[in-house]
Amino acid sequence: MFSLAGRRALVTGSSTGIGFALARGLAGAGAEVVLNGRDGGRLAAAVERLRSEGATVHAASFDVTSPDEVDAAIEGMERDIGPIDILVNNAGMQRRAPLEQFSHGQWDELMKTNVDSVFLVGRAVARHMIERKRGKIINICSVQSELGRPSIAAYTASKGAVKMLTKGMAIDWGQYGIQVNGLGPGYFKTELTEALVKDENFSNWLIGRTPSRRWGDVEDLAGAAVFLASDASSFVNGHILYVDGGVTATL
């Protein structure tokens, strides 16, 4: 029920961090994976790392915020690698600043990366899934799809949009045998959160705020991703699965 053998998964923004961990988890369940990123060196290193673990891996370097690049890349994958059975829209970014100091350029960059990419890649992949009458799409949301924090209002807005876009995709595409769900990580130890992990005051606050009393490790996300990508979730659609140690359950 949880096997992904014989299936092909594209994970955007998967050279490092959460994206790489998700790709690794899907590969561990038997999927052939396509890694995406804009940094060629990091992408090549990620591919070699998974291949050394026995995974079947491909690299696809394209800008997920460019409509032309996205459409060309997806068409090329479908033609040269094979059908994309699973899409994980993981590419994203963070910008921290009080909202009154946030520039329009920063807002535009963040929204293009966090929201436009989900629409563009999701649309390009779904067109093929619709023809096949099957497919799994997992959009990476966040606890900030539900909760706010000082200095990240724009990020919160973007992840709230991804949550609702996920529901909209499920509504439009569910009739074609496609399940679209969100995966909402809490606070995880990654390169992007390294400064917060090392901030003793913040880390102590977070651990005290989290019922599981710890930071998340990226490996904690693999099981949830495999569930949403597999036949085990064949009647789960438009749902956001929070993997946050209980942060969204408590004040």
Side-chain angles (χ1 to χ4, degrees):
M1 185 180 292
F2 292 91
S3 173
L4 300 180
R7 301 186 190 183
R8 189 172 294 104
L10 166 63
V11 185
T12 66
S14 48
S15 297
T16 59
I18 286 175
F20 180 80
L22 293 172
R24 191 181 196 184
L26 298 179
E32 177 181 351
V33 296
V34 182
L35 303 187
N36 159 261
R38 288 184 291 183
D39 186 318
R42 284 188 174 185
L43 187 59
V47 167
E48 287 308 309
R49 184 177 173 190
L50 287 186
R51 284 179 178 166
S52 72
E53 297 174 1
T56 301
V57 191
H58 308 273
S61 181
F62 63 93
D63 183 353
V64 295
T65 69
S66 166
D68 291 341
E69 284 194 40
V70 168
D71 288 344
I74 299 306
E75 290 301 320
M77 273 181 253
E78 289 274 337
R79 180 185 64 245
D80 301 331
I81 299 174
I84 299 168
D85 305 295
I86 302 158
L87 167 64
V88 181
N89 276 312
N90 169 77
M93 67 180 301
Q94 173 67 289
R95 288 284 184 267
R96 292 183 175 88
L99 190 59
E100 72 276 9
Q101 298 173 19
F102 217 78
S103 71
H104 181 262
Q106 290 174 313
W107 174 275
D108 193 46
E109 180 190 29
L110 191 145
M111 291 299 167
K112 282 184 177 179
T113 303
N114 291 2
V115 184
D116 289 14
S117 67
V118 176
F119 163 68
L120 292 172
V121 183
R123 181 184 62 174
V125 171
R127 286 169 173 165
H128 293 277
M129 290 180 169
I130 288 169
E131 291 179 357
R132 293 189 286 266
K133 305 296 184 185
R134 69 179 189 278
K136 298 277 190 174
I137 298 176
I138 303 169
N139 296 329
I140 303 305
C141 299
S142 168
V143 291
Q144 269 80 47
S145 296
E146 301 290 344
L147 305 170
R149 286 270 305 152
S151 80
I152 60 167
Y155 181 81
T156 301
S158 75
K159 288 302 182 178
V162 173
K163 177 185 78 170
M164 295 311 298
L165 182 54
T166 298
K167 293 177 182 290
M169 287 176 167
I171 293 164
D172 279 7
W173 299 337
Q175 61 185 310
Y176 303 113
I178 301 170
Q179 290 88 55
V180 187
N181 293 289
L183 183 60
Y187 282 85
F188 281 76
K189 295 178 182 177
T190 68
E191 293 176 356
L192 295 178
T193 60
E194 186 175 359
L196 293 177
V197 174
K198 291 180 178 179
D199 184 330
E200 188 174 349
N201 288 334
F202 181 87
S203 199
N204 287 339
W205 169 82
L206 176 66
I207 291 169
R209 167 79 170 75
T210 304
S212 292
R213 295 294 184 264
R214 66 176 177 88
W215 281 82
D217 294 313
V218 289
E219 292 76 16
D220 293 324
L221 292 165
V226 169
F227 166 66
L228 292 177
S230 71
D231 289 341
S233 60
S234 63
F235 202 54
V236 179
N237 212 3
H239 176 72
I240 314 300
L241 175 56
Y242 291 100
V243 183
D244 63 358
V247 165
T248 52
T250 182
L251 290 173

